[in-house]
Amino acid sequence: EPEVTIVSGLKDMVVFEGDDVTFRCQVSHENARDVEWKLQDVALQNNEMNEISVEKGKVHTLTLRKVTEQDIGTVAFRVGAHTSTA
């Protein structure tokens, strides 16, 4: 199975408190496994505050809903041994 790499990494975002923000990361192969999103080194799950999805099979997205000051920090996307941060 070919190694999945990050083709297009995360971009830094500036957001106002109460707004939603979406991070996107494109990978080299569809149906990538061993994928993880983190905020401030805490693994994120798909729930009412964090929407995690995959568009067109290769573009992994994370939407943080109604961000607060506590959400300030580093967002990280990891696939296998490859990581992108913003």
Side-chain angles (χ1 to χ4, degrees), residues 51-62:
E51 183 183 320
I52 296 171
S53 62
V54 181
E55 300 171 356
K56 300 179 185 142
K58 294 183 182 179
V59 180
H60 293 256
T61 64
L62 166 67

Side-chain angles (χ1 to χ4, degrees), residues 6-7 13 16 20 22 44 46 51 54 73:
I6 294 173
V7 175
M13 306 291 274
F16 291 102
D20 296 349
T22 300
L44 298 176
N46 198 23
E51 183 183 320
V54 181

Side-chain angles (χ1 to χ4, degrees), residues 6 8-13 23-25 27 34-45 52 60-64 71-80 82-86:
I6 294 173
S8 175
L10 299 176
K11 308 253 185 308
D12 290 342
M13 306 291 274
F23 295 91
R24 288 183 177 80
C25 199
V27 297
D34 193 23
V35 170
E36 182 178 49
W37 285 97
K38 287 186 174 183
L39 174 60
Q40 302 163 344
D41 282 331
V42 176
L44 298 176
Q45 304 298 321
I52 296 171
H60 293 256
T61 64
L62 166 67
T63 300
L64 302 176
D71 294 319
I72 292 173
T74 301
V75 171
F77 172 82
R78 182 187 60 76
V79 58
H82 304 279
T83 303
S84 178
T85 58

